[in-house]
Amino acid sequence: MNEGEIVTVPRPLTLPDGRPALAAWTLDPDLRHLNHGSFGAVPRVAQERQNALRAEMERAPVAWFPSLPGRIAAARAAVAGRLRTDAKDLALVPNASAGASVVYAALAARPGGDIVVTDHGYGAVTMGAERLARRWGTGVRTARVPLAADAEQAYRAVMAQVDNGVALIVLDQITSATARLMPVERVGTEAARRGITLLVDGAHAPGLLAAPLDGLVCDAWVGNLHKWGCAPRGTAALVAHGPLRADLHPLIDSWGAAEPFPDRFDHQGTLDATGFLAAPTALDFIDDTWGWDTVRRYLDELADHGARVVAEAFARTGPPADPVDVGMPVPGMRLVRLPEGLGTSRVAADALRDRATAELGVEAAFTSFDGLGYLRLSAHVYNTPEDYGHFAETCVPVVEKWAREAREQS
């Protein structure tokens, strides 16, 4: 922060009756929840809706399951409206990784056709691409995108790996470990021109971006509703266009197998689909209580504030620190560089996450990219500036101690 700069602290959002926003959730009050981006958090009203649906299912299962495809179709129509896309293009799936697996299973073998991913890609989705390449007998090319790359630089880094020997590009819309956007719209336009299939991993996009599908040309897009949308976990959307739609099938065949896309995804046998059915309740709750535009502005201001406060706390005991420049920042998510010695790999970062929960009473995301560790802040409406002040004052000194111990042991 520059001398004389005026710093605005975001005013916390409240419920209409004046209670803190956190009162609408059932999160443990003895933990600080600073990692909404990993698994989300379901508001009470959506939990209650899901519980009521489960009770209905258990009261009369023989009546419930035959009616389920129609209910799922209505739920996905509501979700499609929120995503500003057509319900005929959208299927409900358990999560973004499951949606990616559906796409991988649909793609026919293309000898000589490599797959392009990036070094920011979500591990599970990249592993699926690697398995697909083994099935095809081809290879995976990894585009190295610098953390601070702007849209032009990121586009060029991806397309540098693309030639006539590429059959599929898998690209994050918002990266998980590095909390940045990727130029999916421009890559999509060029991929379509070259006849290359594009799968966009939009796991973090629903809710965080106002219209994640607007202006996007791709064969398939997957996005989690249980992250920023606050739907029950195990709820995601798969949107598909073009010829690929005809080959997309649920991972488990059921009685709708002969129906067209996306109707066949509405038939899931004895799957507990109450999360799908309660998803519109969660999305509507956020909109009706605060409005999504208001929420996105608050999340962005709060993430900025939190990153600045935490970075300044680290700077008091070590080298000067600033929130990390990720080139294409995303609303509601920020990175802060960890002290040297921490989070140098995904395994080390995950261990740090678990230790912070157990010893500091904080649910936080620690990530790793290119051998460096980061604290990834991902805010939601129930977070307040005080959450980040607490982390800065109480947790940063302990994290610094952990870093010194790690350096001494190396």
Side-chain angles (χ1 to χ4, degrees), residues 28-46:
D28 187 342
D30 294 327
L31 288 174
R32 299 277 179 167
H33 301 276
L34 305 182
N35 183 20
H36 185 89
S38 283
F39 304 105
V42 187
R44 292 176 188 271
V45 64

Side-chain angles (χ1 to χ4, degrees), residues 318-358:
D322 293 304
V324 178
D325 177 12
V326 297
M328 297 176 68
V330 63
M333 297 176 76
R334 296 292 184 274
L335 293 184
V336 177
R337 177 80 165 85
L338 290 174
E340 183 182 353
L342 293 180
T344 55
S345 68
R346 182 188 64 81
V347 172
D350 286 350
L352 198 57
R353 172 202 63 199
D354 298 342
R355 188 176 185 185
T357 302

Side-chain angles (χ1 to χ4, degrees), residues 50 57-58 60 167 205 207 212 229 284 303 307 351 381:
Q50 185 177 25
M57 175 176 64
E58 297 304 335
D284 290 347
V381 295

Side-chain angles (χ1 to χ4, degrees), residues 26-210:
T26 58
L27 291 164
D28 187 342
D30 294 327
L31 288 174
R32 299 277 179 167
H33 301 276
L34 305 182
N35 183 20
H36 185 89
S38 283
F39 304 105
V42 187
R44 292 176 188 271
V45 64
Q47 293 182 46
E48 291 166 356
R49 174 60 177 159
Q50 185 177 25
N51 289 339
L53 289 164
R54 280 178 172 152
E56 182 183 349
M57 175 176 64
E58 297 304 335
R59 281 196 303 270
V62 175
W64 171 268
F65 284 103
S67 72
L68 196 51
R71 292 182 180 225
I72 294 176
R76 66 177 167 82
V79 169
R82 287 293 183 188
L83 293 175
R84 303 183 191 177
T85 193
D86 198 311
K88 68 178 175 59
D89 296 328
L90 185 148
L92 293 175
V93 292
N95 52 50
S97 297
S101 295
V102 165
V103 174
Y104 293 151
L107 294 173
R110 305 185 189 187
D114 285 351
I115 301 171
V116 171
V117 300
T118 78
D119 53 348
H120 297 253
Y122 186 66
V125 174
T126 298
M127 289 176 188
E130 292 168 346
R131 185 165 65 91
L132 176 60
R134 290 194 296 271
R135 191 180 91 203
W136 283 356
T138 61
V140 173
R141 308 180 188 183
T142 302
R144 307 290 176 185
V145 180
L147 190 59
D150 62 19
E152 176 67 21
Q153 292 166 332
Y155 171 77
R156 289 185 178 278
V158 172
M159 297 310 298
Q161 297 296 322
V162 179
D163 56 26
N164 292 336
V166 169
L168 171 66
I169 302 171
V170 182
L171 186 61
D172 295 70
Q173 190 165 29
I174 298 172
T175 64
S176 178
T178 51
R180 58 159 291 149
L181 293 164
M182 286 290 185
V184 291
E185 294 84 2
R186 190 172 174 191
V187 171
T189 299
E190 181 61 17
R193 188 186 72 81
R194 298 189 187 199
I196 298 171
T197 300
L198 173 64
L199 166 61
V200 173
D201 181 356
H204 289 268
L208 204 55
L209 301 181

